[in-house]
Amino acid sequence: MLPSSIAKNASSSLKLVNESWKRVLTSRKHLSRSVPVFGILALCITSIVSSNNRFSWCQQNSLSSSRQKQDDMMIPCSQRLQKVEEQYNKRRQARMEAAASTNVHNLTKQTQFDPFEPDAVCFTEERFGSDSEQRYDAFGDGPKFICGADVITNKNLEAKRRNEKPCLVYSIGSNNDIQFEKSVHGFLGCETHTFDPTLKEEFKGKEYATFHPWGIGKDGATVKFRKSHTWTAKSIESVMNTLGHMDRTIDILKIDCERCEYDAMPPFFDLVAAGKIRVHQIQIEVHVTELPSVIELFQAADRAKMRIFHKERNGWGCMGWRCVEYSFISESFLREANRAAVCGT
């Protein structure tokens, strides 16, 4: 039971409220503004009088909300991220089902990338790769959206401390634009390899990357490009074997190779799915082609458990539909990057 003094004071207060309530009801001028206030006060005081070893209705409501917040805070950070990943899985499944049911005849060249939308979010996504000495000063065509730059940098510093191999970056397609290589060298410190069989002059980025005049595609295939270039393509697996990288993880794989992606990427993704090759993230420009090839590329990425975390239609030279920039990321590295951003570990 409540102490008699409290009950008495509450009863007196209730009488005052009732008297005030009557005055309010007779005053049209203040009715709309006062009724809610006195109504709630009366309800709370009534609750105090009628409570028996319980919190009042107002206290209970406040404490319930407080307890819920405390309960939410008690959920380990990893469990919260797990719930987010479950949402990502649902999004990817919905995208896969939509793409599988898409009628080829209903998609034009302008719309063939519409079914393939991002299904995940990297909390530390950033546009990366410019001539600027400022890390976040990357705009326009050329820079790519990457995830977890600080995670890559910190792991690289730890690897160097242990005299282990640094992070590894492949940049496929250059045209002697070395902005990306320069940024990787300056901000991440990774070992970088650049590939382009079309350069007519000396590679400008020797300070930042090792250059290879190799074309990427179906291993051993003869490729003709714009009537002025011909080469024998190498698969990414062949490149990794040649460079002795099969036992390493590609931290960033950047690709802009004018449709070589349709020959190079599905076999690469299948090797990732089989656990024979490890890659953390891929920034790739895909180009309009026959729709079955587009669908196969994205289905192969899904088989490899790669998530799409960014999509950008290229409006600088592709009219916004002829080529589209995609950023893929492995489930494991996205989990690691998001955990570092949210949980601090």
Side-chain angles (χ1 to χ4, degrees):
M1 298 292 292
L2 289 172
S4 58
S5 58
I6 295 179
K8 183 177 181 181
N9 290 337
S11 180
S12 300
S13 299
L14 183 57
K15 290 181 180 178
L16 290 174
V17 169
N18 288 333
E19 292 174 1
S20 299
W21 182 260
K22 292 177 182 178
R23 287 196 296 271
V24 168
L25 291 177
T26 59
S27 175
R28 295 183 180 180
K29 181 178 180 180
H30 301 290
L31 179 60
S32 61
R33 186 173 56 205
S34 304
V35 168
V37 175
F38 284 108
I40 293 173
L41 181 59
L43 180 60
C44 291
I45 296 177
T46 301
S47 178
I48 292 175
V49 174
S50 61
S51 294
N52 183 6
N53 294 327
R54 294 177 299 170
F55 290 104
S56 71
W57 176 83
C58 299
Q59 290 172 317
Q60 287 178 341
N61 187 59
S62 175
L63 289 173
S64 176
S65 176
S66 177
R67 287 197 190 101
Q68 183 62 48
K69 291 179 181 179
Q70 291 177 358
D71 290 342
D72 290 342
M73 293 300 292
M74 291 296 289
I75 298 176
C77 188
S78 58
Q79 289 186 19
R80 296 187 210 173
L81 291 177
Q82 181 61 39
K83 291 183 178 180
V84 173
E85 286 192 46
E86 291 172 1
Q87 293 181 353
Y88 295 165
N89 290 335
K90 292 178 180 178
R91 292 178 188 174
R92 179 166 61 190
Q93 185 61 35
R95 172 176 56 77
M96 292 170 62
E97 291 174 359
S101 63
T102 297
N103 189 327
V104 175
H105 302 291
N106 290 337
L107 290 176
T108 65
K109 289 185 176 180
Q110 288 88 346
T111 63
Q112 66 177 212
F113 295 113
D114 286 359
F116 307 101
E117 293 295 309
D119 52 69
V121 176
C122 170
F123 301 151
T124 54
E125 172 190 293
E126 63 182 272
R127 200 181 192 101
F128 183 89
S130 72
D131 281 330
S132 175
E133 294 183 358
Q134 300 296 321
R135 173 171 161 184
Y136 301 112
D137 190 19
F139 306 99
D141 193 19
K144 308 297 180 182
F145 284 90
I146 70 169
C147 176
D150 290 326
V151 173
I152 297 173
T153 301
N154 292 336
K155 292 174 69 175
N156 193 45
L157 291 173
E158 181 64 20
K160 288 183 177 180
R161 188 183 69 81
R162 297 179 178 180
N163 292 320
E164 297 174 351
K165 294 178 180 179
C167 47
L168 180 63
V169 173
Y170 280 11
S171 178
I172 299 174
S174 167
N175 197 30
N176 241 342
D177 182 346
I178 61 170
Q179 293 182 88
F180 191 81
E181 285 84 347
K182 183 177 179 181
S183 291
V184 170
H185 177 81
F187 297 115
L188 305 182
C190 300
E191 174 187 339
T192 304
H193 294 262
T194 300
F195 307 86
D196 195 324
T198 68
L199 294 190
K200 296 181 179 180
E201 56 186 13
E202 186 177 7
F203 179 60
K204 297 178 181 179
K206 291 183 177 180
E207 180 182 353
Y208 313 117
T210 301
F211 178 74
H212 308 276
W214 305 339
I216 307 302
K218 184 178 180 180
D219 202 42
T222 299
V223 178
K224 294 182 179 181
F225 181 70
R226 295 178 181 174
K227 299 181 179 180
S228 59
H229 300 280
T230 302
W231 63 85
T232 300
K234 285 179 172 289
S235 66
I236 300 176
E237 179 187 18
S238 176
V239 167
M240 295 182 72
N241 270 315
T242 301
L243 298 178
H245 293 164
M246 287 298 289
D247 63 339
R248 297 177 64 181
T249 298
I250 301 177
D251 290 272
I252 298 177
L253 174 58
K254 180 185 78 69
I255 306 175
D256 184 359
C257 58
E258 304 301 327
R259 292 184 176 82
C260 87
E261 63 268 19
Y262 295 109
D263 289 325
M265 295 311 296
F268 176 80
F269 282 133
D270 286 341
L271 290 170
V272 173
K276 296 181 179 179
I277 288 178
R278 299 186 302 276
V279 61
H280 280 163
Q281 58 185 302
I282 302 169
Q283 285 67 35
I284 181 172
E285 184 174 67
V286 295
H287 303 78
V288 166
T289 190
E290 298 301 319
L291 185 59
S293 296
V294 174
I295 293 175
E296 169 56 23
L297 186 147
F298 284 95
Q299 287 179 339
D302 289 329
R303 291 194 297 269
K305 301 298 184 183
M306 302 296 294
R307 298 192 186 278
I308 303 172
F309 74 90
H310 193 91
K311 175 183 180 181
E312 178 183 44
R313 294 183 177 275
N314 190 331
W316 290 277
C318 296
M319 300 178 65
W321 59 270
R322 291 180 177 173
C323 53
V324 180
E325 301 278 357
Y326 278 93
S327 293
F328 294 88
I329 190 166
S330 69
E331 291 182 353
S332 60
F333 187 70
L334 178 62
R335 188 178 303 117
E336 181 179 1
N338 282 350
R339 184 174 61 244
V342 176
C343 308
T345 57

